[in-house]
Amino acid sequence: MAEVTLTIDGRQVTVPAGTTVLDAARSAGIFIPTLCHDPELTPWGGCRLCVVEIEGMRNLPASCVTTATNGMVVHTASPAVVEARKTIIELLLANHPEDCLTCGRNGDCRLQDYAYLYGVREAGFVGERHHYPLEEDNPFIIRDLNKCILCGKCVRACAEIQGKNVVDFAYRGFNTKITPAMDTSLSGSDCVFCGNCVAVCPVGALQEKGLRAAARTWEVKKVRTTCPYCGTGCTFDLNVKDGRVVGVTSCDGEVNGRALCVKGRFGYGFIHHPDRLTKPLIKRSGVFEEASWEEAINLVAEKLGSIKKEYGSAALGVLSSARCTNEENYLMSKFTRVVLGTNNIDHCARL
């Protein structure tokens, strides 16, 4: 493959031809801030925060959509670049709520991070602000358009990852907003609530409803696991607070990237549901009574053994559950085929 060599902040960097300046810089460990860029989505160049100075160019191009060329000399933190980034952040803050203390994304917000990095303490411009009503009429996602920075990542995620094209840009100028067709809410659209838009949102415009009501970002411990609902094998992080699972967030899974379906992202309510059985029950005289695990396992073993002896293995069948781990389902499959001697096993996720 053809390669090009360019100079970034005084360092020579060699990358495959066609690589953007942003990716070239990142391959060399050089930091360039971004808001609208995502490696899993089509480059857009809308937020302009990734601007750099390239010798011979009159303006400051967006590095995420500028292709690296041989001999190019790039400055990622020149005075002109830093000043431009500060101005962009000030413009964003001019129409952004200053409620970081109570925002669910506090501590996990790129706009907050960059304002701190570049020393922007307040909006440098005063003018009209949006006052959109908070959209929380669905059980999964809170949408606060007052915090939307119009980076377009949710639009591209919906179109390119989920293939639904539910949301897009509407109106013009200061009134531009991201919304479903006919400016309705997500609950009134064809949204399947996969939450992939939430996973890519860099600010607090889109948040997981249950998770943000239960914990702050720094209060949770993230435990990586595999989704048990189907055979795809998606990876995600369980967000655990005080020993309880309070939410699910995306990670960079090898199979799924950050994409999840509605069950994988929001179908965790059964874990601590009050109706969930925590002790074995044995029916005696038509009434379920609590029993010890030893007593229950011995009874099940006795019944399965007697049925197999009298009617054969084909008389037995097992239904496994998506609410168990993959490891537990694997053991159930082994138990059914090896111990019980039958292939009569199915899984509730297929129904």
Side-chain angles (χ1 to χ4, degrees), residues 20-23 32-34 50-52 61-67 74 85:
T20 64
V21 172
L22 174 64
D23 289 336
I32 297 177
T34 62
C50 68
V51 292
V52 294
S63 60
C64 68
V65 290
T66 302
T67 304
V74 181
R85 290 175 184 164

Side-chain angles (χ1 to χ4, degrees), residues 178-200:
I178 293 175
T179 180
M182 303 302 177
D183 200 3
T184 185
S185 64
L186 292 179
S187 60
S189 70
D190 292 331
C191 178
V192 296
F193 293 101
C194 63
N196 293 325
C197 56
V198 181
V200 299

Side-chain angles (χ1 to χ4, degrees), residues 191 232 300:
C191 178
T232 300
V300 172

Side-chain angles (χ1 to χ4, degrees), residues 225-293:
T225 188
T226 302
C227 180
Y229 274 111
C230 75
T232 300
C234 295
T235 306
F236 55 60
D237 287 336
L238 293 175
N239 289 242
V240 181
K241 177 185 177 183
D242 298 331
R244 296 175 63 87
V245 176
V246 295
V248 167
T249 50
S250 294
C251 63
D252 290 321
E254 293 186 11
V255 173
N256 58 305
R258 283 171 295 167
L260 293 170
C261 72
V262 62
K263 289 199 297 182
R265 192 179 302 278
F266 298 112
Y268 57 86
F270 66 91
I271 298 175
H272 303 294
H273 197 281
D275 292 341
R276 184 174 184 178
L277 297 180
T278 56
K279 295 182 179 179
L281 300 178
I282 295 178
K283 184 177 284 188
R284 298 187 178 97
S285 302
V287 179
F288 280 111
E289 298 178 356
E290 288 189 359
S292 68
W293 281 104

Side-chain angles (χ1 to χ4, degrees), residues 58-74:
R58 292 183 302 170
N59 60 348
L60 301 178
S63 60
C64 68
V65 290
T66 302
T67 304
T69 59
N70 253 326
M72 180 180 280
V73 179
V74 181

